[in-house]
Amino acid sequence: MKTVLIADDHPVYLLGLKTLLETQFANDFSIMGMVSNVDELIAALKLEQPDLLLTDFTMPGTQQSDGLHLIQYLRRTYPTLPIVVITVLSNQGIANVMLKSGVTAVINKQSLSTELHACLKSLTQSQNMGSKNKGQHEKSVAIGSFSPTTQISPKETEVLRLMKQGQTVNQIAQMLHRSKQTISGQKKSAMAKLGLKTDAELFEYLLKTGL
């Protein structure tokens, strides 16, 4: 039986995930623990590594509270740990940044019960899940509304993060030692990939993401 650690700062989702595992996968998964913030997650993983991590994308915490930074930290620190990310975001670009980082799956909370059930069923049929051997990883897959066709480059992600912090295109150009035209082009390219047409849509998107 595989052990599972669940991480989510919303009690209703913690309960829902716990119920799904206990009622439909009782013979396959055992809940090792449940945590509600990033600090508790990191502490729990240091004590014992589960066979599977189900985690929210953005949670409060004093360390690694940025969603993408958290995922990248987990992949570096626990390279063989299968990670299923559960998020309210439905943006292809962010989903693919996570998938590129090596997560097993990205699941939208709006269709959590059906998509997570299918994901867990697939994992129970995989012989690689939980393998601690180097070089053996689950194939990353997007679930539901996500698609692996759109990908924001690291430089574009950097520009968006700085914009979220309130920096202008001119300020970002000075900070990163790039031309104003380069920064503007990277901003426009990221917006196109994310399906955003106006600055208002961009800032609304930035407010909702863990960039």
Side-chain angles (χ1 to χ4, degrees), residues 29-208:
F29 297 103
S30 172
I31 299 174
M32 187 184 83
M34 297 192 299
V35 297
S36 58
N37 60 58
V38 175
D39 298 327
E40 292 178 354
L41 171 59
I42 292 176
L45 288 172
K46 286 180 179 179
L47 288 175
E48 183 180 358
Q49 182 176 329
D51 295 309
L52 173 66
L53 172 62
L54 301 179
T55 182
D56 194 1
F57 179 55
T58 54
M59 293 184 292
T62 60
Q63 50 185 329
Q64 306 293 345
S65 57
D66 177 294
L68 288 177
H69 283 170
L70 172 62
I71 298 302
Q72 291 165 356
Y73 164 81
L74 293 174
R75 288 266 48 91
R76 289 194 309 269
T77 311
Y78 307 99
T80 62
L81 173 63
I83 300 174
V84 174
V85 178
I86 301 167
T87 177
V88 295
L89 299 177
S90 58
N91 187 278
Q92 294 179 350
I94 292 297
N96 283 280
V97 171
M98 288 188 279
L99 292 170
K100 185 180 179 182
S101 296
V103 303
T104 300
V106 180
I107 294 177
N108 194 304
K109 285 185 175 180
Q110 293 181 348
S111 51
L112 181 60
S113 59
T114 55
E115 293 179 359
L116 182 59
H117 185 279
C119 177
L120 292 176
K121 187 174 181 181
S122 174
L123 288 174
T124 60
Q125 298 171 352
S126 171
Q127 296 180 354
N128 289 333
M129 201 200 88
S131 171
K132 301 300 186 294
N133 295 325
K134 275 191 174 182
Q136 291 188 357
H137 299 275
E138 286 296 309
K139 181 180 180 181
S140 297
V141 293
I143 303 295
S145 60
F146 297 114
S147 167
T149 57
T150 304
Q151 182 176 309
I152 306 175
S153 73
K155 289 185 177 181
E156 291 166 353
T157 301
E158 187 177 26
V159 169
L160 294 188
R161 282 179 177 166
L162 290 172
M163 292 190 69
K164 184 177 181 179
Q165 296 172 12
Q167 305 295 331
T168 65
V169 169
N170 286 338
Q171 290 171 330
I172 295 172
Q174 293 177 355
M175 293 173 64
L176 300 180
H177 304 289
R178 302 174 198 164
S179 69
K180 176 183 175 182
Q181 290 74 18
T182 297
I183 298 300
S184 179
Q186 289 167 341
K187 170 192 169 186
K188 291 179 180 178
S189 176
M191 289 177 65
K193 293 177 180 178
L194 296 170
L196 306 174
K197 297 180 180 179
T198 66
D199 283 349
E201 290 180 352
L202 173 61
F203 285 109
E204 181 181 0
Y205 163 79
L206 292 175
L207 289 173
K208 293 179 179 179

